[in-house]
Each structure stands twice: as C-alpha cells, then as structure tokens.
Amino acid sequence: MPNARATHLTRRGILAAGGALGLGAVLAACGDDKDSKNGGADSTKAAEKSGPWTFKDDRGTTVKTDKAPANIVAFTGVAAALYDYGIEVKGVFGPTKTKGGKADVQAGDMDISKVTILGNEWGQFNIEKYAGLAPDVLVSTMFDDAGTLWYVPEESEAKILKLAPSVGISVYDVQMPKPLERMLALAESLGADVKSARITDAKKKFETAAERLRKAAKARPEIKVLAGSASQDIFYVSGSNLSIDLEYFKALGVNLVEPSAKALKASGGWFENLSWENVDKYPADIIIMDDRTSTIQPADITEATWKKLPAVKAGQVIARTPEPILSYDKCTPILDNLAEAIEKAKKVA
C-alpha cells in the first residue's frame, strides 16, 4: 500500500509498493574535499543567469519564468543530482534523513542541514513550509507515462502545484543515459557550467564504466543476475523492463533474470512478489539488492531460505540502486560495481 491509511492500490501506490520502487510504503502499511569532488558552492557555483528562463520537461510542458529559478524545491534524489552540478535547492521532499539523523542514501552529498525538509516519507509534504519558501519551481522524477510527479502526494497535488510551476524528468521505460542527459540539460538551464572539466570528466568515466560492463557481460554470458528487494513478508524480483538501470544493463548485454509476463502483470510490469519460502524460484549467480533505507538489507535478512541461495552462500550479493541519483558522478559506480561482480563471479546457479 502507498501509505498506512490506504485500503487499496492506486497506480501510484503500486509504484510505491515494492520491487522497483518505494518499499517503505509497504513496511509502513503492514566546504571540504567532498565539495571539491562532488559539487557545492565552493567548487562549481552555478553562475546566476539573467533574463527569462524556459525549460521543456518530459511531460512536454514548457515552463517559463521571468528569470532563472533561485528558490528551487525538488525530490531528494533530484536535488542530490543538481547539487553534483553545482545547483543548490532550498527545499526537498522524499527520503532525506534516516531515523538516526544521517543523510539518506538518496540525498547523495548534500548537506541536509542546509535544506528545508518538507516531507521525509511517502505521503508527507508540508504545504505551509513549501509556500513559505516562495518556490520558483518544483522538480521531481516521473515513474509512469501519465506525468505523475514522484512523492508529490496525490491528495494535495492540486494545492501544491498551484504555488509554483513544476518540472518532471521521466525515469519510466527509458535507459539510464536518457534521464542523465535530461538532468544535465536542466542543470545547464539553471546555470551549471556543463563544459567544466569536472563534469566532462565525470561523463567520460561513465562512458568508460558502461563499456567495461558491456565487455564483462559479453565475456561472461553464463552469469545470471537477479534484481531483488526485501521486505518482512515478501521478496520482490524486478523485471528487466521499465527501470532505467535494468533496461540499461540489459542493453549492455547483462544476462538478467526475467519473471514471466504473467507474474509481472499484477505490478504493472515492475516486479513479481515471492514468499520467502519460494525465494529460490529463479536461479541466479549474482543478486543485486535494493539499497534504499526503506528496504531490508542483505546483512539483516534472517530467512533460512535466503541464506541457502547459491549466490548468497558464494558471497555474490551486491547493492542495487533502483533510484539512481541522476548525475554521471553517482551513476558511474553503479556500472563499475556490477561489472566487477560479473568479472569475478563463480558460476553457482
């Protein structure tokens, strides 16, 4: 379910329910070296742009303002990507802070103490705080073809979108390079110096990592990779379509485990639900596991059936980032880590 009060799964709720996307909803229902490397005010301070600002988003909507937005509010992962390009936001919504007070994995390198958190969980969005920021624009990703802005609550969407224009970047049924290009274009429109050595070098490293993964997959076609995600009662096996990372892995030749179309149908094509008793349904040599804080991490899985899986016994379980921070700097390790895992993997399935 999308939240604790929901009694049925809307389309948006299905996306939030697990496997490819926000498992937290399911669980609820039942200035230093870092700045110089990753962005921030001191290293790649985006130049302020004068004059009117326009940007055509992935809904086909052209957003126009009298000047480049200064008060930007964004979904946490989007804000983290913009930060890597030297663009800082005023407010964020979505997983930002862990229960222990640390930055969530989706916050990237942002200093979360310097942004206003409008909501940290599914369904949370403080409209009063949002209005108080005098927002110039709201930016989020989209996980469907209907233009639904991720983590903008459906019940208050109309009120929120009246306060400022919005921009949507699609991460639905496209390969990773496309939304990376779109996020870079957005950052450039907001003043980022996309021709800087730091950004061009990051893009080259991404392309090198992609070629490494392609070569690894070609050299080891027998290695099967399963994308999983864990909750208390359900193990989710993601399909290779729809998600930007898995579609790209498949295009690069990675041998991904694919649930049947019939099994995927209930989730709109995203994932298959398995009980822990049936977690061994699909043989795999490598398991890539959802790394978001809303999911149970491999080290904390106590199910005996999980521990008996050949990939688990062989130590061939690595992290997967289902919602990548859309900067080249953050996506490169995703490709490198999978390439290394395939290069070193033993055939165990």
Side-chain angles (χ1 to χ4, degrees):
M1 296 182 184
N3 55 57
R5 295 185 299 275
T7 57
H8 65 284
L9 282 175
T10 62
R11 181 175 185 181
R12 186 187 306 209
I14 287 175
L15 290 178
L21 307 171
L23 272 171
V26 170
L27 302 179
C30 310
D32 49 16
D33 286 342
K34 184 171 74 174
D35 280 341
S36 64
K37 178 181 178 183
N38 296 310
D42 294 335
S43 59
T44 55
K45 180 70 175 180
E48 293 185 4
K49 301 185 74 172
S50 58
W53 177 79
T54 65
F55 185 80
K56 186 175 182 179
D57 75 357
D58 292 340
R59 299 170 297 185
T61 300
T62 300
V63 180
K64 300 180 180 180
T65 59
D66 293 336
K67 59 182 180 179
N71 295 340
I72 303 169
V73 173
F75 172 69
T76 302
V78 171
L82 292 176
Y83 181 87
D84 283 355
Y85 293 131
I87 306 296
E88 298 186 20
V89 307
K90 293 297 178 77
V92 297
F93 55 94
T96 307
K97 183 186 295 186
T98 67
K99 291 181 179 179
K102 296 181 179 180
D104 188 275
V105 64
Q106 294 193 63
D109 295 316
M110 286 192 301
D111 183 346
I112 61 173
S113 69
K114 294 182 179 180
V115 295
T116 299
I117 300 174
L118 303 174
N120 198 56
E121 298 177 5
W122 181 263
Q124 293 180 350
F125 194 110
N126 190 312
I127 299 176
E128 289 73 24
K129 280 187 178 181
Y130 177 57
L133 293 174
D136 294 320
V137 69
L138 178 149
V139 190
S140 191
T141 48
M142 301 182 298
F143 283 94
D144 61 24
D145 56 5
T148 304
L149 296 173
W150 191 232
Y151 265 80
V152 174
E154 188 173 13
E155 62 274 12
S156 53
E157 181 180 52
K159 291 181 180 179
I160 292 167
L161 298 186
K162 281 182 180 179
L163 296 173
S166 62
V167 167
I169 300 296
S170 178
V171 289
Y172 175 74
D173 199 15
V174 291
Q175 295 176 26
M176 188 182 287
K178 182 62 176 179
L180 278 170
E181 291 170 2
R182 295 293 290 142
M183 190 63 70
L184 185 65
L186 175 61
E188 182 178 20
S189 78
L190 294 169
D193 180 8
V194 300
K195 294 182 180 179
S196 69
R198 188 181 61 81
I199 293 177
T200 56
D201 287 349
K203 186 175 182 180
K204 288 178 183 177
K205 288 178 180 178
F206 174 83
E207 292 167 349
T208 299
E211 185 58 27
R212 178 187 179 185
L213 180 55
R214 186 192 304 276
K215 289 180 178 178
K218 184 177 181 180
R220 303 294 307 279
E222 78 280 9
I223 298 300
K224 294 183 178 181
V225 179
L226 182 147
S229 190
S231 70
Q232 184 175 352
D233 300 315
I234 300 172
F235 184 79
Y236 301 88
V237 178
S238 291
S240 62
N241 295 321
L242 305 183
S243 298
I244 64 172
D245 61 334
L246 300 185
E247 284 205 10
Y248 193 41
F249 297 163
K250 183 169 63 174
L252 292 173
V254 175
N255 183 2
L256 290 168
V257 170
E258 182 70 39
S260 69
K262 182 178 180 180
L264 292 170
K265 187 176 180 180
S267 68
W270 290 98
F271 52 85
E272 177 181 357
N273 297 352
L274 295 178
S275 66
W276 284 105
E277 289 77 12
N278 295 315
V279 73
D280 60 352
K281 180 177 179 179
Y282 298 106
D285 301 292
I286 296 172
I287 301 175
I288 54 176
M289 288 292 289
D290 192 332
D291 68 353
R292 289 168 300 176
T293 53
S294 58
T295 68
I296 300 175
Q297 296 305 298
D300 299 319
I301 298 175
T302 59
E303 300 289 341
T305 48
W306 163 262
K307 294 181 179 180
K308 292 178 181 178
L309 294 177
V312 176
K313 293 172 69 175
Q316 294 178 175
V317 178
I318 66 170
R320 177 200 171 201
T321 305
E323 292 185 61
I325 293 171
L326 295 172
S327 71
Y328 292 104
D329 181 70
K330 294 298 184 294
C331 287
T332 295
I334 294 172
L335 304 182
D336 274 332
N337 291 343
L338 181 55
E340 182 179 9
I342 293 174
E343 290 163 356
K344 295 181 177 180
K346 296 177 182 179
K347 180 64 182 174
V348 295

